[in-house]
Amino acid sequence: MEIINVVPHGYCAGVIRAIKTAQKTAKENPGRKITMLGMIVHNEFVVRECERLGIGFVENPKKTREELLDEIDEGIVIFTAHGISDKVREKACAKGLSIVDASCPDVIRTHTLVRSHVENGDVLYIGKKNHPESEGTVSLSPRIHLITKAEDLEGLDGLENVLITCQTTLSLRDTRGIINACLEKYPKAAVAEEICAATRMRQEAVMNLTDTDCLIVVGDPRSNNSNQLKRIAFDAGIKEAFLIGSVLDLKEEMVKNKNRIAVTSGSSTPNSLTNQVIDFLKQYAIDGIWQLPSEALVRLL
Ligand code: SF4
């Protein structure tokens, strides 16, 4: 059995920056109430680590960031790497909260792009419904229209000077398909595909895998980019792919009798979690003993 460490994988620069921002805020503000608006990144191990530092969270997938903000009445609010709308920022100011913004520079770049475009035209923004990044971007202007699938274009007639752009963590392949559908409706539209370099490189590394029986993706089930990696595995012709939170979710039947197993992770997954999976499988490949570590040994950093 061969275990392939897919490179690159794991934390991207934007996530590292967000975690460092949260750590710095906790260190510099002992005794002050600090609350993250949503999950810092979609990974429960990272969330637990922030809680250990005394940072609280408000999160509810059914609520918007604006609604969640109603639950924070004092202290410091940290905006996550997914970016934030002007409306939420203004509301936080009006509530007298101190703001720490951990938005990823790549998301801010998309915000700058669409902000400038809506002064003279409309934006077709390809993204996931109810995802904090798309929520933050679409709320910047009524001229930004969320497109989750080609069918969403129905009824979107009469737009002017159209720009097609997208969320940073989407699948390259799916996004190209939706961009083409947008171009069929608006052939003169400009295209700015904003999938970030970190997402792109992690997806391309999976697409380039050859003779692989199985892909293990280490990541949180809520992580968009981790889910994309699993889907891409099937597109790349890999017959089996599993998304696991940590080594504790591995099952022997996932890997038994396989010749080549590749391991990767989304950009919100700590590398320590991925390395634990790789180390465990490499040892299993040598001695055939299936004995997972105890939960207490699965640590974040
Ligand atoms: S995945 Fe891309 S956009 Fe998201 S935090 Fe990382 S670098 Fe930024």
Side-chain angles (χ1 to χ4, degrees):
M1 181 188 289
E2 190 185 357
I3 310 300
I4 313 295
N5 178 1
V6 182
V7 179
H9 68 238
Y11 277 171
C12 59
V15 167
I16 292 171
R17 183 179 171 279
I19 292 169
K20 284 191 173 161
T21 302
Q23 288 170 330
K24 185 167 175 274
T25 306
K27 196 173 168 196
E28 290 176 354
N29 296 279
R32 269 194 94 185
K33 188 169 179 196
I34 305 170
T35 314
M36 187 84 65
L37 189 64
M39 287 172 81
I40 180 168
V41 291
H42 287 123
N43 189 282
E44 67 157 302
F45 288 87
V46 182
V47 170
R48 269 196 245 153
E49 175 65 10
C50 287
E51 281 172 342
R52 195 184 62 75
L53 296 170
I55 300 171
F57 288 84
V58 287
E59 172 66 338
N60 181 338
K62 292 190 180 140
K63 287 189 175 180
T64 64
R65 292 295 205 239
E66 194 183 351
E67 288 165 341
L68 284 175
L69 194 57
D70 290 334
E71 297 171 31
I72 308 175
D73 290 320
E74 57 174 309
I76 300 170
V77 60
I78 304 181
F79 297 147
T80 65
H82 308 97
I84 205 74
S85 68
D86 296 338
K87 215 170 164 187
V88 174
R89 192 183 298 277
E90 284 157 16
K91 185 169 171 178
C93 284
K95 291 185 83 164
L97 301 172
S98 304
I99 292 174
V100 172
D101 190 351
S103 297
C104 175
D106 283 8
V107 177
I108 293 172
R109 192 187 59 194
T110 311
H111 283 196
T112 307
L113 174 77
V114 297
R115 260 185 227 281
S116 117
H117 191 83
V118 292
E119 287 173 17
N120 299 303
D122 291 285
V123 174
L124 296 174
Y125 177 82
I126 303 165
K128 296 271 169 201
K129 201 171 180 190
N130 300 326
H131 188 280
E133 183 182 335
S134 55
E135 180 202 322
T137 309
V138 171
S139 325
L140 292 173
S141 165
R143 296 194 84 172
I144 305 173
H145 309 276
L146 179 65
I147 306 293
T148 61
K149 53 189 181 314
E151 290 73 28
D152 293 342
L153 289 160
E154 285 165 23
L156 272 181
D157 300 316
L159 302 186
E160 292 168 0
N161 183 24
V162 173
L163 170 72
I164 303 164
T165 189
C166 65
Q167 194 179 320
T168 58
T169 52
L170 297 183
S171 141
L172 287 163
R173 188 175 141 156
D174 293 353
T175 306
R176 277 180 201 140
I178 304 179
I179 287 175
N180 288 340
C182 293
L183 283 170
E184 265 180 38
K185 184 153 183 135
Y186 288 102
K188 290 185 182 162
V191 179
E193 195 239 73
E194 287 286 295
I195 294 173
C196 72
T199 300
R200 183 183 302 276
M201 287 192 292
R202 282 154 185 71
Q203 291 184 15
E204 284 172 348
V206 170
M207 282 188 245
N208 290 336
L209 287 169
T210 49
D211 299 327
T212 305
D213 301 313
C214 165
L215 178 73
I216 306 282
V217 182
V218 188
D220 193 284
R222 290 159 292 189
S223 158
N224 194 43
N225 59 66
S226 299
N227 277 293
Q228 297 297 356
L229 292 174
K230 183 179 161 193
R231 284 200 45 217
I232 285 161
F234 298 124
D235 294 343
I238 300 170
K239 288 198 178 68
E240 288 188 82
F242 303 96
L243 177 61
I244 60 169
S246 74
V247 68
L248 299 173
D249 299 330
L250 270 179
K251 305 236 173 340
E252 192 171 14
E253 55 266 30
M254 293 175 180
V255 297
K256 207 171 180 182
N257 301 325
K258 306 268 181 2
N259 290 323
R260 244 169 91 90
I261 298 162
V263 182
T264 188
S265 55
S267 50
S268 50
T269 307
N271 284 339
S272 57
L273 293 180
T274 315
N275 291 340
Q276 282 169 339
V277 172
I278 292 169
D279 292 346
F280 176 82
L281 289 175
K282 281 188 171 167
Q283 191 58 42
Y284 175 69
I286 293 168
D287 59 23
I289 297 172
W290 191 267
Q291 189 169 9
L292 293 172
S294 74
E295 189 163 355
L297 288 177
V298 179
R299 288 276 172 253
L300 171 58
L301 297 171

